[in-house]
Structures are given as structure tokens and as C-alpha cells.
Amino acid sequence: MVHLIVAYNILEVSTVTGQDQSAENGRFEVVDGQQRLTTISLVILAIKEIFQRDEDYEVVVSVKSDFLASTDRRTKEREPKLILNEVDNEIYQDLIEGFDEADEKKVRRQSHKRLVAAAKHCEKYLSDLCIKSKDSEEELHSWLDYIETSLKVIVVTAPDDSNAFVIFETLNDRGLELAISDLVKNYLFHKSGDKIEETKNRWLSMVSILESASDDPLTVTYIRHFAMAKYGLIREKDLFSLLKTKITSKRGSLRFSTELAETVRVYTALLNTDHDYWNDFSNDVAYSVSTFNLLGMTQIRPLLLALLSKFDHRKVSEAFKKLVSAAVRYQMVGGVGGGTLERVYSDTAKAVTEEKIKTPSEVIQAFKNVPSDSAFLSAFSIATVSKQKIARYYLRELEIAEADGNAETIPNHDTNSVNLEHVLPITPDPSWQKVFNEDEMRSYQKRIGNLALMSAKLNSTVGNGCFQDKKKYFKESAFLFTKEIANEDSWSKASIDNRQKKMAEVAVKHWSIG
């Protein structure tokens, strides 16, 4: 039998569906609503923990047996009232025994940390409440009494899984706000039929890998990017509706959940260039991925997934380099909104997946709005950069372009070894006021032409003094664009403009899309 539970008051509104797995133990499998059930359990756990701390063991035993876990009189084994998924259940069961039992060594996943943090938050809240109360023990008992006698639960019985999911979806259509990930998850479970356990295991595997890759919630973002690589642009609000039209059978659900579980490793590698996934590729591929991340080009990930799925390693390397050039041009010229870029990348990803695009050159040819050489040259010639990491990237690439294979003149990635220097300082001494007024200083301080890479040792001695005092340090630099600064008699607006124009000419060739 399948139950739908709608709870009010403390729990606000909660939807839970469950499948009767065993007539003998009377347990129900919760399909949706786990968070609300777990939350109310954590409140009870916190109450139990306070009684335990106060050494009121009779009440502790009563609360555990009434709300949290009973003991089988034959096997003497504990029978928990609520069992979480296999990823989180061990930590939850440890919390039932006592908060100190939740060993830090076991708290590895973000979901573990959230469980423990929520339990301790509830305990602190209730402890503070007890301090303010005239009778702390009675305060806690009143909470338990309310949960036990005043919490209203409505149970609706449905004959099978399919009907339960229909009820779940109907409630959502009538305004019950649910996370997109919950909708997708439950729909996949629903369509899996008697293969639901396989789909559950794949879903859990996917979520655990995403959680281990980032502290930020990634489930919806990943599913959307994965789907966009297959179907083209999908807005987040349309994701569930579209997947319903694409996944209409048990076979389709199993295939989609399998692909999600298999591709998640690739997706997390796009977030972390130290991932062992990149070991089989040339170093430039991971470097390209780090550049996309540095530039904040999350919109490109559907296309990267498609290329990694369809192209061999050599083509991936070539395509990624071209995409870096396009990304730099988009960033530098501007005028192309994030939504437009997302459409460009997702539509190209779909064409790659459908094998309508088979070469790196065709990938770039699919972009109709990549800034031309003249537009890029013009934009680069006057560009300012506020983020030091991005400025360092531009300058390092320009040095690589000029080095012509001389490894000794290529700047190190490490900020402890190579620093960013503003020739016209951010906090200039009074001598600079002879060359720049205040408005000019603000305009030129972060121009690319005013920036230089220097070894950390040299940069620490440069300071904010006049240009003549700084020249000798630039002359000692191994970096070509930095060394050339010492050839200037003075540092003025014209010096910055001329240097940046030369940089722009190198940039056009270096970030070529030809």
C-alpha cells in the first residue's frame, strides 16, 4: 500500500509518499518528504539529548522508545522508527544514540555535516528556550506532548506506486512548491516501475559525487547542463516539463538515470582540474577547463560535456583551445548577454551530440556572433581588468605568446612566485600627480597596459614611488612585456595606450579563432 501524508502546524506542509515493502514489519518507503520527517526527528533527538545531558535517563529511554527506536524483545536489536538513505543513515542512527556518537571521521559528506549541524542547532535553540523558562523540564515535555497529540497528519491511501506519484504531481500542479530535483527524482522513480531500486542507487551515487565535489548545491545545475547537452537550451523552470516529454517509459527512465550516474564524474572533473579524469588527456585540456572556470563561463559546460562524449582526445584538445579563444573574445568585447551565450553553447552541444558537428573547426563555425579580429583588437586596446586573477591570466598568456617557446620567460602560475604590479600604483605617492589628475588615475590604474607581471622578490621592493625609481626593477625582470617598460622615459597615458595597443595585436593572434 502507498500512503500520502500531509502534515500541518510544526511541519508546515509536507508531502510524503510511501510503499508498503513488508506486511510483516509494516514499514513504508518514503518517496518524498524525507526532509520534513527527518527535521521533526532531529527536534525530538535534541530534546532527548538535553535530558541525557541532565542525566534524566528514565525520560531518555521513554523518548527513544516512543519516538526514535524500539528494541526487539527477541533479538535485543534496536528497531529505528525512521531509516534514512544508505548514504546518511549511519550518521543519523549515531545521533539517536547521542550527539557525541556522530564521529567526525564518519562525517565526510555535506549531507552528513548538515544533519549534525541541524541536530545541534535544534539542541541550542531548545537549550536557550529552557534557560528562559521557569520550568525547563516541563518546557521540553510540552514540546513532546504537542508533537505526540496536536500534530495533525492526514493519511491518504493509494493502491500502488503509480497512483502515489500521480497524487504527488497533482499536489505540485496545485501550487505546492517543490524543488525541481525532487520532481525529477520522483518522476524517474515513478517511470522505473519494478526497476526503482536501480534508479534509486544511481540517483544516490550521482548526488553523493556532486556533494563531494562542491559545497554548493549542484544537482539541478548538473541535470540541466546534462539535458542541454542532449536537447539544447532548457530554462531551469522548464526542465521538469521537458524531461517528462523525453522520458516516457521504464526503459527511457533507466537509460537517463544510468547516463546521469555515468556522466557525473565528467561533470565534476569540469569543476576540478586536479581530477584524475584528466590524466588521459594532454595538459592543455585541463588548462583550458581552468580558464573557463576562471572566466566564469559556466554556460559552456553542456558543450564541454558533449565534446568529451563525442570527440577523441586530439579533437577535444583542439576544440577546447578554440573555445578558450572564443570565451576570451566574448569576455573582452562584451555585448553578448549570458542568455545568448547559453543558447549558443547549448545549441552547439546538441548538434555535437547528434553528430551534426564532427570537427573543432565546425564547432567555432556554429557560433555566428564571435567577435571579429577588429572588434577584439579595439576592445582589448582600451580594456580594464578589476579581478587580479583574470589580469594575471591575460598577462601570462601574452608573455607565453611573446616567449616563442623560451620556458625561462614564461611566468609561473604560483602567486607566491609571480605578482601583479600596477606601474601607476593603486595608492600612488604625490609625484604621480604631476602626470595624472585624479580622474585619469582612476581610469588608467586598472588598464591592461598599466599592469605587469613581476617575480615576487622584485615586486616586494618596487613600492608606490615615482616611475624613475621603479624602472630599474622592471629592467631586471625576465618577462618580456614587463622588461620593455624600462625603455620608457616616463609613464603617461600615452605610454599605457601604446603598450596596450601592442598587447592587443599579440592578443588577436594568440586567441585566434581561425
Side-chain angles (χ1 to χ4, degrees):
M1 304 296 288
V2 180
H3 291 237
L4 174 70
I5 302 173
V6 182
Y8 297 91
N9 298 332
I10 288 180
L11 294 182
E12 297 179 348
V13 180
S14 168
T15 64
V16 179
T17 60
Q19 182 179 14
D20 188 357
Q21 293 191 311
S22 169
E24 295 179 5
N25 61 29
R27 284 195 178 278
F28 297 94
E29 181 179 358
V30 178
V31 175
D32 185 75
Q34 300 95 328
Q35 289 180 346
R36 293 179 178 86
L37 286 176
T38 304
T39 300
I40 197 64
S41 293
L42 293 179
V43 172
I44 297 168
L45 277 172
I47 295 172
K48 187 269 303 179
E49 190 73 11
I50 295 171
F51 280 120
Q52 190 163 307
R53 185 182 63 205
D54 295 340
E55 299 184 354
D56 195 340
Y57 297 119
E58 289 184 3
V59 175
V60 170
V61 171
S62 175
V63 172
K64 283 178 68 175
S65 61
D66 288 348
F67 297 100
L68 302 171
S70 57
T71 301
D72 188 286
R73 66 176 181 273
R74 288 191 174 87
T75 64
K76 307 297 191 296
E77 291 181 356
R78 189 181 66 189
E79 294 287 340
K81 307 283 188 184
L82 178 66
I83 299 173
L84 302 191
N85 63 53
E86 55 205 56
V87 172
D88 299 320
N89 190 56
E90 184 179 1
I91 292 296
Y92 173 74
Q93 300 305 330
D94 285 345
L95 287 170
I96 289 179
E97 289 306 303
F99 288 6
D100 293 338
E101 293 294 319
D103 191 335
E104 288 186 5
K105 293 179 181 178
K106 298 178 183 176
V107 181
R108 297 181 298 273
R109 303 182 185 279
Q110 289 303 313
S111 57
H112 297 171
K113 294 176 183 177
R114 288 195 290 268
L115 269 174
V116 173
K120 291 183 177 178
H121 177 80
C122 291
E123 181 195 13
K124 184 179 184 306
Y125 177 85
L126 291 166
S127 294
D128 292 346
L129 207 62
C130 288
I131 292 172
K132 299 174 184 176
S133 175
K134 295 179 181 178
D135 187 339
S136 60
E137 185 175 328
E138 180 56 33
E139 179 72 32
L140 296 176
H141 280 299
S142 68
W143 275 70
L144 291 172
D145 289 343
Y146 183 84
I147 291 170
E148 187 172 30
T149 62
S150 299
L151 188 66
K152 296 178 182 177
V153 178
I154 301 171
V155 179
V156 179
T157 303
D160 53 35
D161 276 339
S162 179
N163 282 272
F165 283 108
V166 169
I167 295 172
F168 168 79
E169 200 170 314
T170 301
L171 283 173
N172 178 65
D173 287 342
R174 295 192 177 190
L176 186 62
E177 190 173 338
L178 296 166
I180 293 172
S181 57
D182 288 334
L183 291 169
V184 175
K185 175 188 69 176
N186 282 282
Y187 183 74
L188 290 175
F189 290 178
H190 166 40
K191 284 296 180 183
S192 296
D194 59 0
K195 299 292 185 180
I196 188 171
E197 286 303 317
E198 293 179 30
T199 303
K200 281 184 182 179
N201 291 336
R202 290 163 188 156
W203 184 273
L204 279 173
S205 173
M206 176 195 75
V207 170
S208 64
I209 291 172
L210 289 172
E211 283 193 344
S212 65
S214 173
D215 291 342
D216 298 325
L218 287 175
T219 303
V220 174
T221 302
Y222 165 57
I223 296 172
R224 189 167 80 95
H225 284 169
F226 172 81
M228 285 164 67
K230 294 166 68 71
Y231 308 124
L233 181 65
I234 309 168
R235 302 301 182 196
E236 186 172 303
K237 63 183 179 64
D238 301 322
L239 177 61
F240 176 57
S241 298
L242 180 130
L243 291 180
K244 282 175 63 179
T245 66
K246 299 294 184 181
I247 305 167
T248 58
S249 65
K250 176 168 69 175
R251 183 179 178 185
S253 175
L254 290 171
R255 183 172 61 250
F256 190 82
S257 61
T258 299
E259 290 174 351
L260 276 178
E262 290 175 348
T263 308
V264 71
R265 177 172 175 263
V266 183
Y267 191 80
T268 55
L270 294 175
L271 310 177
N272 173 22
T273 51
D274 291 329
H275 198 290
D276 59 11
Y277 176 77
W278 303 117
N279 292 346
D280 295 333
F281 292 84
S282 57
N283 292 336
D284 60 90
V285 174
Y287 184 63
S288 293
V289 172
S290 71
T291 302
F292 298 133
N293 292 337
L294 175 68
L295 298 177
M297 302 294 285
T298 56
Q299 309 99 321
I300 203 171
R301 287 176 186 161
L303 177 53
L304 301 184
L305 287 176
L307 291 170
L308 289 165
S309 171
K310 293 295 183 178
F311 279 21
D312 62 35
H313 289 191
R314 182 188 60 79
K315 286 184 178 180
V316 164
S317 174
E318 186 180 344
F320 277 30
K321 287 177 183 176
K322 289 181 179 293
L323 288 171
V324 166
S325 294
V328 169
R329 290 180 177 230
Y330 282 132
Q331 291 270 316
M332 191 60 64
V333 175
V336 181
T340 301
L341 273 181
E342 193 168 56
R343 179 174 294 280
V344 168
Y345 288 136
S346 58
D347 288 350
T348 309
K350 181 175 183 252
V352 171
T353 299
E354 294 173 349
E355 300 186 359
K356 294 177 181 177
I357 290 177
K358 298 183 179 181
T359 68
S361 295
E362 290 174 342
V363 172
I364 296 299
Q365 289 167 10
F367 299 172
K368 306 300 183 184
N369 55 358
V370 180
S372 65
D373 286 355
S374 59
F376 184 46
L377 177 70
S378 178
F380 202 101
S381 296
I382 59 171
T384 60
V385 184
S386 297
K387 295 182 179 179
Q388 289 203 14
K389 287 184 178 180
I390 295 179
R392 283 169 51 82
Y393 166 73
Y394 289 147
L395 293 172
R396 184 176 186 274
E397 289 298 305
L398 292 172
E399 291 289 349
I400 289 172
E402 286 289 90
D404 195 25
N406 184 358
E408 291 183 2
T409 63
I410 295 176
N412 195 308
H413 283 288
D414 188 1
T415 55
N416 293 321
S417 301
V418 177
N419 294 161
L420 185 67
E421 166 68 13
H422 293 73
V423 185
L424 165 63
I426 295 295
T427 54
D429 72 12
S431 65
W432 288 96
Q433 294 175 3
K434 299 175 183 178
V435 186
F436 297 88
N437 62 40
E438 288 189 13
D439 288 341
E440 289 170 340
M441 284 185 184
R442 284 193 292 270
S443 298
Y444 276 85
Q445 280 167 334
K446 295 182 180 179
R447 283 275 298 270
I448 294 176
N450 185 55
L451 306 178
L453 293 179
M454 295 188 74
S455 68
K457 184 178 179 181
L458 276 178
N459 196 36
S460 64
T461 60
V462 171
N464 298 322
C466 69
F467 179 67
Q468 297 304 322
D469 291 342
K470 300 173 77 169
K471 277 181 67 171
K472 61 182 179 181
Y473 300 108
F474 296 127
K475 190 174 183 179
E476 293 176 30
S477 176
F479 308 141
L480 300 176
F481 271 108
T482 303
K483 195 179 189 73
E484 288 177 356
I485 296 172
N487 296 332
E488 298 288 330
D489 294 328
S490 63
W491 197 249
S492 62
K493 299 188 294 293
S495 303
I496 295 172
D497 288 335
N498 291 335
R499 181 170 181 260
Q500 191 159 340
K501 184 176 180 182
K502 180 181 177 182
M503 289 175 154
E505 290 168 353
V506 174
V508 169
K509 296 176 183 177
H510 185 63
W511 285 292
S512 171
I513 55 173

